[in-house]
Amino acid sequence: QVQLVESGGGSVQAGGSLRVSCVASGVTYSTNYMAWFRQAPGKEREGVAAINLRTTTTYYADSVKGRFTISRDVPENTVSLQMNSLKPEDTAMYYCAAALITDTTSPFTENRYIYWAQGTQVTVSS
């Protein structure tokens, strides 16, 4: 069983930066991908960034490429999302998730993620 605990988030003005982090504990070797998803009010949840924990290959949604950076800290079992040049449309609840993906499934396939954190709010004002 993997437990994920998020921290960070908050409110910022457009153009600002925020960082959200996710600490994993438990049977972490049973997962090889971690990702950040977000859900804005009235919208479906979408994948934002993902990282292969074995190869460190990263993936980004087109909407955040060049602005967001996903990274991992192995000793701390932490995956973080650095968000720069934030826009009002980035406002959403952000969720950290973990999965075991061993085929060619997109790392943003939500139903492959079986461990989820509680979510943290990110609000960007114009």
Side-chain angles (χ1 to χ4, degrees), residues 50-117:
I51 185 168
N52 181 313
L53 300 176
R54 308 290 186 262
T55 67
T56 69
T57 302
T58 56
Y59 306 83
Y60 296 96
D62 288 343
S63 58
V64 306
K65 277 182 184 175
R67 300 188 299 121
F68 289 14
T69 302
I70 188 170
S71 62
R72 65 166 188 170
D73 184 324
V74 174
E76 299 294 330
N77 261 352
T78 300
V79 172
S80 299
L81 184 68
Q82 177 67 40
M83 302 178 287
N84 299 329
S85 302
L86 282 162
K87 305 175 181 180
E89 50 264 44
D90 294 318
T91 295
M93 187 73 79
Y94 283 70
Y95 298 90
C96 168
L100 178 64
I101 300 175
T102 58
D103 53 24
T104 57
T105 299
S106 163
F108 293 137
T109 302
E110 186 176 333
N111 61 16
R112 299 301 297 273
Y113 286 82
I114 56 176
Y115 302 109
W116 291 83

Side-chain angles (χ1 to χ4, degrees), residues 21-62:
S21 295
C22 179
V23 179
S25 61
V27 188
T28 55
Y29 60 77
S30 65
T31 59
N32 63 346
Y33 275 87
M34 289 188 71
W36 290 93
F37 290 80
R38 68 184 181 187
Q39 187 168 22
K43 294 188 177 181
E44 292 188 355
R45 190 154 57 186
E46 61 174 350
V48 174
I51 185 168
N52 181 313
L53 300 176
R54 308 290 186 262
T55 67
T56 69
T57 302
T58 56
Y59 306 83
Y60 296 96
D62 288 343

